[in-house]
């Protein structure tokens, strides 16, 4: 069990004065650098606890409603695992077609319903801004698990935690984001989040029709972070510390012909990676559909499977924080 100096408050009673008690997690824009360091500290403690004891009763008696209007493997199951490793339980609603949503119930009413039964709600929804709508309807904390092409803040937190765990720092890094930067909500959140750190350089590599949205570029530019756009990886791979690869998001294209034009635009494989540094990592929020060859999986720089595990610790930290236990 943690000592008194730990940020985990055991055994019972929530700290309603804690900074994060009852808060929503909607966007990475809400985090300062100090907030991020605090979250990573709690996640680090969670990792230690999972390694030592596996499951413990920090959130015993608490209930999470996991409400997913879009498919998910990692986010949904890692939030479930996080709650259960903390001794709590989960109401899983992954198939909204079997819920009253099919009868026409609004998002706000669905949220008001679930908060009668749960202490915290994780929401994935296809519309940008849906998490904010849910948060307006709810008195209990809403955790945004992806709102359309908007944001995926808990993914960006786990991505940054991965970088810190793997490379030992979040300052002085060149991060290259590759693939579908238009529709990929994870890169929107990650670019914003990394702009909190010092001497970060962001490179964006994408087909012309999948460039990073101007809104994100402008926000990052306000933080004086150097950014550059490319159509090819070749020139900037040797300087890259983190190569963040994304899937082309077929489901978001209005015209399937456009998808056909850009699918398979980039494939990372051992040959392509030859000019890259030895001390760098390749990340991917997953799922992948061919943009990283399985031939690369055994390379020590392939961090994407470890990245999923880091997500468990970050999500445990967030649940404990918003429920007044960290
Ligand atoms: N990275 C991510 O959000 O994966 P899922 O869609 O499987 O949750």
């Amino acid at each position: 069990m943690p000592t008194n100096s730990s940020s985990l408050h055991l055994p019972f009673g929530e700290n309603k004065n804690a900074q994060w008690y009852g808060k929503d997690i909607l966007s990475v824009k809400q985090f300062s650098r100090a907030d991020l360091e605090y979250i990573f500290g709690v996640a680090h403690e969670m990792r230690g606890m999972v390694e030592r004891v596996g499951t413990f009763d920090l959130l015993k008696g608490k209930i999470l409603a996991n409400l997913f209007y879009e498919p998910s493997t990692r986010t949904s199951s890692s939030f479930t695992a996080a709650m259960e490793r903390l001794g709590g339980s989960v109401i899983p609603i992954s198939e909204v077609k079997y819920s009253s949503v099919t009868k026409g119930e609004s998002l706000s009413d669905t949220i008001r319903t679930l908060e009668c039964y749960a202490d915290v709600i994780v929401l994935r929804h296809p519309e940008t801004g849906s998490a904010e709508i849910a948060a307006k309807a709810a008195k209990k904390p809403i955790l945004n698990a992806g709102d359309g092409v908007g944001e995926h803040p808990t993914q960006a937190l786990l991505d940054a935690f991965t970088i810190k765990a793997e490379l030992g720092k979040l300052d002085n890094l060149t991060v290259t984001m590759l693939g579908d930067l238009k529709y990929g909500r994870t890169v929107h959140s990650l670019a914003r989040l990394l702009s909190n750190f010092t001497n970060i350089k962001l490179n964006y590599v994408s087909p012309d029709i999948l460039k990073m949205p101007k809104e994100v570029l402008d926000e990052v530019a306000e933080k004086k972070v150097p950014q550059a756009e490319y159509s090819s990886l070749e020139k900037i791979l040797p300087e890259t510390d983190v190569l963040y690869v994304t899937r082309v998001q077929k489901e978001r294209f209005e015209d399937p012909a456009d998808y056909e034009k850009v699918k398979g635009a980039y494939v990372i494989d051992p040959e392509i990676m030859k000019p890259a540094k030895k001390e760098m990592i390749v990340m991917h929020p997953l799922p992948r559909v061919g943009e990283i060859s399985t031939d690369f999986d055994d390379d020590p720089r392939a961090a994407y499977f470890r990245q999923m595990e880091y997500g468990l610790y970050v999500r445990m930290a967030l649940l404990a924080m918003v429920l007044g236990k960290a």
Side-chain angles (χ1 to χ4, degrees):
M1 291 307 214
T3 62
N4 286 344
S5 62
S6 166
S7 59
L8 307 183
H9 292 258
L10 290 174
F12 298 112
E14 53 209 27
N15 179 3
K16 294 188 174 164
N17 295 318
Q19 186 195 347
W20 292 94
Y21 176 76
K23 293 268 166 64
D24 304 307
I25 308 287
L26 302 180
S27 162
V28 292
K29 294 180 205 170
Q30 69 195 85
F31 301 120
S32 66
R33 179 175 180 142
D35 295 331
L36 295 170
E37 283 169 0
Y38 179 77
I39 295 166
F40 299 151
V42 180
H44 181 72
E45 287 194 48
M46 293 296 181
R47 182 182 187 180
M49 289 294 280
V50 170
E51 285 168 359
R52 284 196 299 280
V53 298
T55 297
F56 51 108
D57 279 346
L58 190 67
L59 295 182
K60 188 175 178 184
K62 297 292 182 190
I63 298 175
L64 159 70
N66 229 9
L67 177 60
F68 280 69
Y69 288 72
E70 279 189 337
S72 168
T73 301
R74 276 144 292 272
T75 313
S76 170
S77 55
S78 64
F79 266 116
T80 298
M83 197 60 177
E84 293 188 354
R85 286 209 175 268
L86 292 167
S89 49
V90 181
I91 303 171
I93 307 186
S94 305
E95 291 269 13
V96 287
K97 64 173 181 262
Y98 297 125
S99 75
S100 287
V101 169
T102 312
K103 300 175 202 161
E105 187 159 57
S106 69
L107 174 62
S108 297
D109 283 1
T110 304
I111 293 291
R112 285 188 193 105
T113 306
L114 288 174
E115 71 174 353
C116 296
Y117 313 129
D119 302 288
V120 54
I121 298 170
V122 169
L123 172 70
R124 172 170 290 183
H125 196 281
E127 282 164 29
T128 305
S130 53
E132 219 166 290
I133 291 168
K136 283 202 177 101
K139 295 184 190 73
K140 305 267 175 74
I142 300 291
L143 274 55
N144 180 4
D147 62 331
V149 300
E151 280 222 36
H152 196 345
T154 70
Q155 177 74 42
L157 290 168
L158 81 86
D159 291 341
F161 185 71
T162 300
I163 296 170
K164 177 121 169 94
E166 295 275 325
L167 298 178
K169 60 181 182 179
L170 279 158
D171 297 312
N172 306 313
L173 291 171
T174 297
V175 178
T176 298
M177 300 183 183
L178 173 83
D180 183 349
L181 309 183
K182 178 180 178 185
Y183 296 120
R185 56 194 171 199
T186 65
V187 284
H188 303 165
S189 289
L190 185 60
R192 288 174 169 126
L193 187 145
L194 289 175
S195 67
N196 283 289
F197 295 92
T198 307
N199 197 22
I200 290 284
K201 182 179 176 202
L202 296 179
N203 295 319
Y204 307 123
V205 183
S206 71
D208 201 45
I209 59 167
L210 296 178
K211 285 167 118 175
M212 187 65 94
K214 185 175 179 309
E215 179 194 346
V216 179
L217 296 176
D218 289 349
E219 282 174 37
V220 171
E222 267 177 38
K223 301 268 190 85
K224 313 276 182 247
V225 172
Q227 307 172 87
E229 295 182 292
Y230 301 88
S231 58
S232 155
L233 180 62
E234 205 178 348
K235 185 171 160 224
I236 44 158
L237 182 59
E239 71 177 50
T240 295
D241 299 299
V242 177
L243 177 62
Y244 193 96
V245 184
T246 63
R247 173 178 68 93
V248 178
Q249 309 250 314
K250 183 180 182 183
E251 66 277 23
R252 313 252 182 236
F253 281 73
E254 279 168 25
D255 183 351
D258 284 341
Y259 171 73
E260 292 302 321
K261 276 184 224 150
V262 290
K263 75 171 189 194
Y266 308 100
V267 178
I268 299 303
D269 63 19
E271 188 58 33
I272 295 272
M273 287 301 292
K274 274 187 181 158
K277 293 180 183 178
K278 290 225 167 356
E279 296 287 322
M280 58 83 74
I281 53 172
V282 177
M283 298 174 64
H284 192 309
L286 301 176
R288 63 176 161 181
V289 288
E291 57 280 350
I292 301 180
S293 161
T294 54
D295 295 346
F296 187 68
D297 292 353
D298 291 333
D299 189 299
R301 297 169 294 182
Y304 31 93
F305 297 130
R306 300 189 292 274
Q307 187 180 349
M308 290 190 281
E309 183 186 326
Y310 294 125
L312 172 68
Y313 311 130
V314 168
R315 289 174 173 137
M316 288 173 78
L318 295 173
L319 290 172
M321 286 164 55
V322 301
L323 292 171
K325 288 290 191 170

